[in-house]
Amino acid sequence: MIAPSILSADFARLAEEAAAVQDADWLHVDVMDAHFVPNLTLGLPVVESLRKATEIPLDCHLMIENPDRWAIGYAEAGAHNVTVHVEAAEDPVAIAKNLRAAGSQAGLSIKPGTPFEPYVELLQHYDTLLVMSVEPGFGGQRFMPEVLDKVRVARRLVDAGELRVLVEIDGGIGADTIEQAAEAGVDCFVAGSAIYGAEDPAAALTALRASAAAARG
């Protein structure tokens, strides 16, 4: 699965930018509040408008404080998957239950420096594990290969039936990194500048999907 990140798109032309990647599995929407991360992007009103402009399932990644309060609004707005950060959530189990009750999937994200093992049991309540392969906040950063150890552990648990989550990765994914991420066991790849920085975003998306599929065998 490929999820183009609109963080790298032209914010003045979001409907057109979504249309440029119609074959995407998900459209990744980075919501930042300038508190949890040192950047400010977009919020619920833009997501509501984007939902009306595209049929691509929206994958909303909330890099915000107090997701316990705000996450439910994105599910109610029609997001397919809503991901919160374990570092910001006060009651991650309640968030997951509320998101699912509102009609979306629930995702849990961990920063590069956050260990994976303490949250394995918590992930029983979630649909998606989003492993950050850069420090959250800005696009265009360099991929951190050391986070793939978390992916490998998660993949083993999923394959053994101990977890039932989709493994997603976000940060620095491009033609030069997607194969190693795929080999580690990633299911869904968030790619921003590698797609929206390309002359032909649709062709770039197709090429990334082919590389990932070949690496996974």
Side-chain angles (χ1 to χ4, degrees):
M1 296 174 60
I2 305 294
S5 172
I6 63 168
L7 183 63
S8 298
D10 183 347
F11 277 20
R13 301 171 51 249
L14 285 183
E16 296 172 50
E17 296 282 64
V21 291
Q22 278 298 327
D23 288 339
D25 298 283
W26 288 355
L27 193 62
H28 192 79
V29 182
D30 287 310
V31 177
M32 306 184 195
D33 63 359
H35 294 285
F36 180 69
V37 292
N39 194 8
L40 182 66
T41 54
L42 48 80
L44 186 56
V46 175
V47 170
E48 290 172 336
S49 297
L50 190 58
R51 177 67 287 163
K52 299 173 185 177
T54 182
E55 295 183 358
I56 304 172
L58 298 184
D59 177 30
C60 292
H61 177 194
L62 308 187
M63 288 170 272
I64 62 173
E65 292 183 348
N66 199 9
D68 301 70
R69 175 182 178 184
W70 300 111
I72 189 70
Y74 292 87
E76 293 172 344
H80 175 74
N81 185 69
V82 179
T83 295
V84 301
H85 270 265
V86 71
E87 302 90 355
E90 292 185 10
D91 190 342
V93 174
I95 293 177
K97 290 180 179 178
N98 290 338
L99 288 173
R100 287 172 164 181
S104 79
Q105 292 185 354
L108 193 69
S109 183
I110 54 177
K111 292 181 179 182
T114 300
F116 170 69
E117 285 78 3
Y119 304 107
V120 170
E121 185 174 346
L122 181 59
L123 282 165
Q124 304 293 340
H125 302 277
Y126 280 83
D127 304 289
T128 305
L129 166 65
L130 176 58
V131 177
M132 293 300 300
S133 43
V134 299
E135 288 296 334
F138 295 92
Q141 298 185 64
R142 186 175 180 179
F143 179 77
M144 301 170 68
E146 58 267 28
V147 306
L148 293 180
D149 287 340
K150 301 176 189 177
V151 171
R152 294 183 185 99
V153 174
R155 180 81 266 151
R156 287 196 295 269
L157 292 174
V158 171
D159 290 346
E162 296 180 41
L163 278 182
R164 297 182 63 182
V165 293
L166 178 146
V167 182
E168 186 175 14
I169 197 164
D170 181 6
I173 293 298
D176 57 337
T177 57
I178 195 167
E179 291 186 2
Q180 58 182 306
E183 289 170 353
V186 172
D187 299 304
C188 182
F189 306 83
V190 177
S193 55
I195 291 178
Y196 281 116
E199 186 172 329
D200 185 340
L205 188 159
T206 298
L208 287 174
R209 181 181 283 129
S211 295
R216 282 292 292 270

